[in-house]
Amino acid sequence: MHDTRFQRLTERLAEGAPLWRCLPFQEPEPAWRSRWPGLAEALLALDDDTLARLQADPFASAALADSPLAAWLPVAALAELVALPDLSRHVTLPEAWAEGIAERKRRQLEAFVPQVPASPDEAPVDLVEWCAGKGHLARALAQRHGVEVTALEWDPALCAAGSVLAQGQSAAVRFRVQDVMAEEAGRWLHAGSRAVALHACGDLHRRLLTLAAEAGSEVVLAPCCYQRTADERYRPLSARGRALAAAAGLTLDRDALTLAVQETVTAPRGVQRHRERASAWRLGFDRLQRRVRGVDAYLPVPSLAYGRMPSRFSEFCRWAAAQKGLALPEEVDWAALEAEGWRRHREVARLELVRHLYRRPLEVWLALDRLAFLEEAGYAVELGTFCARSLTPRNLLLRARKR
């Protein structure tokens, strides 16, 4: 079943590449618009409520019912390909274990911890948390299962803080300062160990899978942030992934890996307004810089942390121009330019729905590549979701055990 899903998803992603590679934020006229003019018109005509439903989840039943995408794109086929088994279970962690853990992180732990049994078939295992940070997961597992857990973390300060928390809660966690990308990192894994990682990023979880396969260690992994990699172009882990991608002509760069994890949990309304304003102002400045430079091309501007955005559009444009060494004209119709930015923001939000449709398929494809790699190494592998998307969109789980 996984092999068929992998092949069909590869084909769909390759077919849709002209759509999901396009960046409406940077391209006032998307390259695909001439090929699918009716699709662009349907998207631009969407009301705000329908837009919000499609942004929240393009594969939800309510969104599928009124999605204009379905008349032009393989929405139903993609929805079927990204529908994975629900593996979710839930425990409630005692309040005494929650010190230093943010509420959302705690709820993610309560969903992830039941996915990690202590000793299958009564055989003892060594539990190892990969990229542990302060060891919140390691402490929860140590206390829930009454076992010692080794927590690997490269930052000595996080190890020290985690040790204090573990000692205060009488949790049997051994912190080890370890760069998991270092050559000797594999010494912590062996045939009697189980490596666990909740949202280990990019190359860090690729390293875990590679070393675990060499050692025969079991793995329970929720992958994250595939774009955090040293490679400019994605190298499939599995021979199957390489063969499928080559046959279909599918290549993934860092932008594609970023798209796979762009979906976020709905933010508070104040944060949403800030993001919308930042988008509109950047698009307004984009119009201005094209005129000033005489170059019809997007000019990236550094990000501003939340709370550091200037209070007025004109001030933002002057800041952005200074960052890029541009001299602005004395006379600018700031009100008209800001209005144009908001118009472009509304347009971009609708055209971006095409890219949103392919976010989850890209993420599932990357997870299937990891699954295929482990199967090729002799593992039996489960792939499913360990919690609801509302808790974290990065809810995919790989659980692997040597056959």
Side-chain angles (χ1 to χ4, degrees), residues 84-107:
L84 297 172
D86 181 1
L87 306 177
S88 61
R89 299 168 59 194
H90 185 83
V91 296
T92 300
L93 299 181
E95 289 294 330
W97 299 5
E99 182 182 355
I101 307 178
E103 176 61 25
R104 186 173 294 278
K105 181 68 172 181
R106 176 181 172 179
R107 290 168 57 205

PDB file of all heavy atoms in Angstrom, residues 84-107:
ATOM      1  N   LEU A  84      -3.913   9.349   5.975  1.00  0.00           N
ATOM      2  CA  LEU A  84      -3.103   8.337   6.647  1.00  0.00           C
ATOM      3  C   LEU A  84      -3.826   7.802   7.876  1.00  0.00           C
ATOM      4  O   LEU A  84      -4.724   8.454   8.421  1.00  0.00           O
ATOM      5  CB  LEU A  84      -1.758   8.940   7.057  1.00  0.00           C
ATOM      6  CG  LEU A  84      -0.871   9.410   5.904  1.00  0.00           C
ATOM      7  CD1 LEU A  84       0.341  10.161   6.442  1.00  0.00           C
ATOM      8  CD2 LEU A  84      -0.421   8.230   5.046  1.00  0.00           C
ATOM      9  N   PRO A  85      -3.437   6.623   8.348  1.00  0.00           N
ATOM     10  CA  PRO A  85      -4.079   6.057   9.545  1.00  0.00           C
ATOM     11  C   PRO A  85      -3.958   6.976  10.757  1.00  0.00           C
ATOM     12  O   PRO A  85      -2.922   7.622  10.961  1.00  0.00           O
ATOM     13  CB  PRO A  85      -3.318   4.751   9.769  1.00  0.00           C
ATOM     14  CG  PRO A  85      -2.736   4.401   8.439  1.00  0.00           C
ATOM     15  CD  PRO A  85      -2.434   5.708   7.769  1.00  0.00           C
ATOM     16  N   ASP A  86      -5.010   7.020  11.534  1.00  0.00           N
ATOM     17  CA  ASP A  86      -5.014   7.785  12.777  1.00  0.00           C
ATOM     18  C   ASP A  86      -4.479   6.888  13.888  1.00  0.00           C
ATOM     19  O   ASP A  86      -5.138   5.947  14.314  1.00  0.00           O
ATOM     20  CB  ASP A  86      -6.441   8.244  13.089  1.00  0.00           C
ATOM     21  CG  ASP A  86      -6.530   9.070  14.370  1.00  0.00           C
ATOM     22  OD1 ASP A  86      -5.474   9.303  15.009  1.00  0.00           O
ATOM     23  OD2 ASP A  86      -7.645   9.467  14.737  1.00  0.00           O
ATOM     24  N   LEU A  87      -3.272   7.176  14.344  1.00  0.00           N
ATOM     25  CA  LEU A  87      -2.630   6.382  15.397  1.00  0.00           C
ATOM     26  C   LEU A  87      -2.771   7.043  16.765  1.00  0.00           C
ATOM     27  O   LEU A  87      -2.171   6.587  17.734  1.00  0.00           O
ATOM     28  CB  LEU A  87      -1.135   6.206  15.080  1.00  0.00           C
ATOM     29  CG  LEU A  87      -0.777   5.641  13.707  1.00  0.00           C
ATOM     30  CD1 LEU A  87       0.740   5.604  13.527  1.00  0.00           C
ATOM     31  CD2 LEU A  87      -1.364   4.250  13.520  1.00  0.00           C
ATOM     32  N   SER A  88      -3.562   8.100  16.849  1.00  0.00           N
ATOM     33  CA  SER A  88      -3.558   8.938  18.044  1.00  0.00           C
ATOM     34  C   SER A  88      -4.061   8.206  19.276  1.00  0.00           C
ATOM     35  O   SER A  88      -5.013   7.422  19.229  1.00  0.00           O
ATOM     36  CB  SER A  88      -4.392  10.198  17.810  1.00  0.00           C
ATOM     37  OG  SER A  88      -5.737   9.864  17.520  1.00  0.00           O
ATOM     38  N   ARG A  89      -3.381   8.459  20.362  1.00  0.00           N
ATOM     39  CA  ARG A  89      -3.761   8.061  21.709  1.00  0.00           C
ATOM     40  C   ARG A  89      -3.465   9.262  22.593  1.00  0.00           C
ATOM     41  O   ARG A  89      -2.833  10.225  22.158  1.00  0.00           O
ATOM     42  CB  ARG A  89      -2.968   6.833  22.169  1.00  0.00           C
ATOM     43  CG  ARG A  89      -3.179   5.596  21.290  1.00  0.00           C
ATOM     44  CD  ARG A  89      -2.163   4.527  21.612  1.00  0.00           C
ATOM     45  NE  ARG A  89      -2.248   4.117  23.007  1.00  0.00           N
ATOM     46  CZ  ARG A  89      -1.309   3.397  23.627  1.00  0.00           C
ATOM     47  NH1 ARG A  89      -0.208   3.052  22.982  1.00  0.00           N
ATOM     48  NH2 ARG A  89      -1.461   3.041  24.885  1.00  0.00           N
ATOM     49  N   HIS A  90      -3.917   9.209  23.815  1.00  0.00           N
ATOM     50  CA  HIS A  90      -3.739  10.395  24.655  1.00  0.00           C
ATOM     51  C   HIS A  90      -3.577   9.984  26.116  1.00  0.00           C
ATOM     52  O   HIS A  90      -4.254   9.072  26.586  1.00  0.00           O
ATOM     53  CB  HIS A  90      -4.934  11.341  24.522  1.00  0.00           C
ATOM     54  CG  HIS A  90      -4.767  12.627  25.267  1.00  0.00           C
ATOM     55  ND1 HIS A  90      -4.077  13.696  24.764  1.00  0.00           N
ATOM     56  CD2 HIS A  90      -5.194  13.003  26.509  1.00  0.00           C
ATOM     57  CE1 HIS A  90      -4.087  14.680  25.638  1.00  0.00           C
ATOM     58  NE2 HIS A  90      -4.756  14.293  26.697  1.00  0.00           N
ATOM     59  N   VAL A  91      -2.648  10.641  26.769  1.00  0.00           N
ATOM     60  CA  VAL A  91      -2.509  10.504  28.225  1.00  0.00           C
ATOM     61  C   VAL A  91      -2.514  11.911  28.806  1.00  0.00           C
ATOM     62  O   VAL A  91      -2.248  12.891  28.108  1.00  0.00           O
ATOM     63  CB  VAL A  91      -1.208   9.776  28.624  1.00  0.00           C
ATOM     64  CG1 VAL A  91      -1.200   8.356  28.114  1.00  0.00           C
ATOM     65  CG2 VAL A  91       0.019  10.542  28.138  1.00  0.00           C
ATOM     66  N   THR A  92      -2.824  12.003  30.072  1.00  0.00           N
ATOM     67  CA  THR A  92      -2.762  13.286  30.763  1.00  0.00           C
ATOM     68  C   THR A  92      -1.555  13.278  31.686  1.00  0.00           C
ATOM     69  O   THR A  92      -1.473  12.447  32.602  1.00  0.00           O
ATOM     70  CB  THR A  92      -4.042  13.537  31.580  1.00  0.00           C
ATOM     71  OG1 THR A  92      -5.162  13.551  30.688  1.00  0.00           O
ATOM     72  CG2 THR A  92      -3.962  14.875  32.299  1.00  0.00           C
ATOM     73  N   LEU A  93      -0.610  14.159  31.422  1.00  0.00           N
ATOM     74  CA  LEU A  93       0.579  14.229  32.260  1.00  0.00           C
ATOM     75  C   LEU A  93       0.249  14.941  33.563  1.00  0.00           C
ATOM     76  O   LEU A  93      -0.438  15.965  33.560  1.00  0.00           O
ATOM     77  CB  LEU A  93       1.698  14.976  31.540  1.00  0.00           C
ATOM     78  CG  LEU A  93       2.185  14.374  30.223  1.00  0.00           C
ATOM     79  CD1 LEU A  93       3.310  15.229  29.643  1.00  0.00           C
ATOM     80  CD2 LEU A  93       2.657  12.938  30.409  1.00  0.00           C
ATOM     81  N   PRO A  94       0.712  14.424  34.685  1.00  0.00           N
ATOM     82  CA  PRO A  94       0.464  15.092  35.964  1.00  0.00           C
ATOM     83  C   PRO A  94       1.024  16.517  35.970  1.00  0.00           C
ATOM     84  O   PRO A  94       2.023  16.812  35.310  1.00  0.00           O
ATOM     85  CB  PRO A  94       1.220  14.207  36.979  1.00  0.00           C
ATOM     86  CG  PRO A  94       1.329  12.869  36.322  1.00  0.00           C
ATOM     87  CD  PRO A  94       1.467  13.162  34.851  1.00  0.00           C
ATOM     88  N   GLU A  95       0.356  17.385  36.711  1.00  0.00           N
ATOM     89  CA  GLU A  95       0.805  18.773  36.793  1.00  0.00           C
ATOM     90  C   GLU A  95       2.246  18.874  37.275  1.00  0.00           C
ATOM     91  O   GLU A  95       2.997  19.758  36.858  1.00  0.00           O
ATOM     92  CB  GLU A  95      -0.107  19.565  37.736  1.00  0.00           C
ATOM     93  CG  GLU A  95      -1.493  19.833  37.190  1.00  0.00           C
ATOM     94  CD  GLU A  95      -1.475  20.757  35.985  1.00  0.00           C
ATOM     95  OE1 GLU A  95      -0.558  21.603  35.914  1.00  0.00           O
ATOM     96  OE2 GLU A  95      -2.355  20.629  35.128  1.00  0.00           O
ATOM     97  N   ALA A  96       2.650  17.966  38.141  1.00  0.00           N
ATOM     98  CA  ALA A  96       4.001  18.015  38.693  1.00  0.00           C
ATOM     99  C   ALA A  96       5.071  17.805  37.628  1.00  0.00           C
ATOM    100  O   ALA A  96       6.230  18.153  37.831  1.00  0.00           O
ATOM    101  CB  ALA A  96       4.156  16.954  39.786  1.00  0.00           C
ATOM    102  N   TRP A  97       4.694  17.218  36.487  1.00  0.00           N
ATOM    103  CA  TRP A  97       5.659  16.984  35.422  1.00  0.00           C
ATOM    104  C   TRP A  97       5.760  18.152  34.447  1.00  0.00           C
ATOM    105  O   TRP A  97       6.611  18.150  33.557  1.00  0.00           O
ATOM    106  CB  TRP A  97       5.269  15.743  34.597  1.00  0.00           C
ATOM    107  CG  TRP A  97       5.215  14.466  35.358  1.00  0.00           C
ATOM    108  CD1 TRP A  97       5.382  14.285  36.700  1.00  0.00           C
ATOM    109  CD2 TRP A  97       4.958  13.173  34.810  1.00  0.00           C
ATOM    110  NE1 TRP A  97       5.242  12.971  37.033  1.00  0.00           N
ATOM    111  CE2 TRP A  97       4.980  12.253  35.884  1.00  0.00           C
ATOM    112  CE3 TRP A  97       4.697  12.702  33.533  1.00  0.00           C
ATOM    113  CZ2 TRP A  97       4.762  10.894  35.714  1.00  0.00           C
ATOM    114  CZ3 TRP A  97       4.485  11.346  33.350  1.00  0.00           C
ATOM    115  CH2 TRP A  97       4.518  10.444  34.428  1.00  0.00           C
ATOM    116  N   ALA A  98       4.892  19.137  34.594  1.00  0.00           N
ATOM    117  CA  ALA A  98       4.711  20.147  33.555  1.00  0.00           C
ATOM    118  C   ALA A  98       5.586  21.386  33.722  1.00  0.00           C
ATOM    119  O   ALA A  98       5.497  22.308  32.913  1.00  0.00           O
ATOM    120  CB  ALA A  98       3.249  20.569  33.492  1.00  0.00           C
ATOM    121  N   GLU A  99       6.423  21.429  34.748  1.00  0.00           N
ATOM    122  CA  GLU A  99       7.236  22.620  34.979  1.00  0.00           C
ATOM    123  C   GLU A  99       8.109  22.934  33.771  1.00  0.00           C
ATOM    124  O   GLU A  99       8.804  22.072  33.237  1.00  0.00           O
ATOM    125  CB  GLU A  99       8.129  22.421  36.207  1.00  0.00           C
ATOM    126  CG  GLU A  99       8.979  23.645  36.544  1.00  0.00           C
ATOM    127  CD  GLU A  99       9.903  23.413  37.730  1.00  0.00           C
ATOM    128  OE1 GLU A  99       9.812  22.339  38.356  1.00  0.00           O
ATOM    129  OE2 GLU A  99      10.720  24.307  38.015  1.00  0.00           O
ATOM    130  N   GLY A 100       8.046  24.186  33.343  1.00  0.00           N
ATOM    131  CA  GLY A 100       8.888  24.628  32.248  1.00  0.00           C
ATOM    132  C   GLY A 100       8.392  24.249  30.868  1.00  0.00           C
ATOM    133  O   GLY A 100       9.084  24.470  29.876  1.00  0.00           O
ATOM    134  N   ILE A 101       7.186  23.686  30.767  1.00  0.00           N
ATOM    135  CA  ILE A 101       6.657  23.246  29.473  1.00  0.00           C
ATOM    136  C   ILE A 101       5.479  24.133  29.078  1.00  0.00           C
ATOM    137  O   ILE A 101       4.518  24.262  29.838  1.00  0.00           O
ATOM    138  CB  ILE A 101       6.190  21.772  29.529  1.00  0.00           C
ATOM    139  CG1 ILE A 101       7.299  20.867  30.064  1.00  0.00           C
ATOM    140  CG2 ILE A 101       5.759  21.305  28.143  1.00  0.00           C
ATOM    141  CD1 ILE A 101       6.892  19.409  30.190  1.00  0.00           C
ATOM    142  N   ALA A 102       5.543  24.736  27.907  1.00  0.00           N
ATOM    143  CA  ALA A 102       4.432  25.543  27.401  1.00  0.00           C
ATOM    144  C   ALA A 102       3.217  24.650  27.176  1.00  0.00           C
ATOM    145  O   ALA A 102       3.346  23.453  26.916  1.00  0.00           O
ATOM    146  CB  ALA A 102       4.834  26.235  26.108  1.00  0.00           C
ATOM    147  N   GLU A 103       2.029  25.249  27.263  1.00  0.00           N
ATOM    148  CA  GLU A 103       0.795  24.466  27.213  1.00  0.00           C
ATOM    149  C   GLU A 103       0.673  23.656  25.926  1.00  0.00           C
ATOM    150  O   GLU A 103       0.352  22.463  25.970  1.00  0.00           O
ATOM    151  CB  GLU A 103      -0.419  25.397  27.357  1.00  0.00           C
ATOM    152  CG  GLU A 103      -1.758  24.698  27.228  1.00  0.00           C
ATOM    153  CD  GLU A 103      -1.991  23.615  28.287  1.00  0.00           C
ATOM    154  OE1 GLU A 103      -1.383  23.711  29.375  1.00  0.00           O
ATOM    155  OE2 GLU A 103      -2.785  22.697  28.014  1.00  0.00           O
ATOM    156  N   ARG A 104       0.918  24.263  24.767  1.00  0.00           N
ATOM    157  CA  ARG A 104       0.785  23.517  23.516  1.00  0.00           C
ATOM    158  C   ARG A 104       1.811  22.398  23.439  1.00  0.00           C
ATOM    159  O   ARG A 104       1.509  21.293  22.978  1.00  0.00           O
ATOM    160  CB  ARG A 104       0.916  24.454  22.309  1.00  0.00           C
ATOM    161  CG  ARG A 104       0.647  23.742  20.982  1.00  0.00           C
ATOM    162  CD  ARG A 104       0.619  24.732  19.818  1.00  0.00           C
ATOM    163  NE  ARG A 104      -0.485  25.651  19.913  1.00  0.00           N
ATOM    164  CZ  ARG A 104      -1.720  25.368  19.517  1.00  0.00           C
ATOM    165  NH1 ARG A 104      -2.005  24.190  19.014  1.00  0.00           N
ATOM    166  NH2 ARG A 104      -2.676  26.265  19.616  1.00  0.00           N
ATOM    167  N   LYS A 105       3.028  22.658  23.887  1.00  0.00           N
ATOM    168  CA  LYS A 105       4.062  21.617  23.897  1.00  0.00           C
ATOM    169  C   LYS A 105       3.662  20.472  24.815  1.00  0.00           C
ATOM    170  O   LYS A 105       3.863  19.294  24.482  1.00  0.00           O
ATOM    171  CB  LYS A 105       5.396  22.216  24.346  1.00  0.00           C
ATOM    172  CG  LYS A 105       6.548  21.219  24.381  1.00  0.00           C
ATOM    173  CD  LYS A 105       6.935  20.772  22.986  1.00  0.00           C
ATOM    174  CE  LYS A 105       8.196  19.930  23.005  1.00  0.00           C
ATOM    175  NZ  LYS A 105       8.594  19.498  21.653  1.00  0.00           N
ATOM    176  N   ARG A 106       3.087  20.805  25.928  1.00  0.00           N
ATOM    177  CA  ARG A 106       2.645  19.764  26.848  1.00  0.00           C
ATOM    178  C   ARG A 106       1.591  18.873  26.202  1.00  0.00           C
ATOM    179  O   ARG A 106       1.639  17.643  26.321  1.00  0.00           O
ATOM    180  CB  ARG A 106       2.086  20.404  28.123  1.00  0.00           C
ATOM    181  CG  ARG A 106       1.507  19.378  29.104  1.00  0.00           C
ATOM    182  CD  ARG A 106       0.937  20.061  30.334  1.00  0.00           C
ATOM    183  NE  ARG A 106       0.227  19.121  31.182  1.00  0.00           N
ATOM    184  CZ  ARG A 106      -0.359  19.432  32.323  1.00  0.00           C
ATOM    185  NH1 ARG A 106      -0.304  20.684  32.758  1.00  0.00           N
ATOM    186  NH2 ARG A 106      -0.980  18.531  33.043  1.00  0.00           N
ATOM    187  N   ARG A 107       0.644  19.479  25.501  1.00  0.00           N
ATOM    188  CA  ARG A 107      -0.401  18.693  24.850  1.00  0.00           C
ATOM    189  C   ARG A 107       0.193  17.823  23.733  1.00  0.00           C
ATOM    190  O   ARG A 107      -0.264  16.705  23.490  1.00  0.00           O
ATOM    191  CB  ARG A 107      -1.481  19.622  24.301  1.00  0.00           C
ATOM    192  CG  ARG A 107      -2.308  20.282  25.406  1.00  0.00           C
ATOM    193  CD  ARG A 107      -3.159  21.413  24.856  1.00  0.00           C
ATOM    194  NE  ARG A 107      -4.041  20.956  23.780  1.00  0.00           N
ATOM    195  CZ  ARG A 107      -4.516  21.748  22.824  1.00  0.00           C
ATOM    196  NH1 ARG A 107      -4.195  23.035  22.814  1.00  0.00           N
ATOM    197  NH2 ARG A 107      -5.310  21.261  21.891  1.00  0.00           N
TER     198      ARG A 107
END
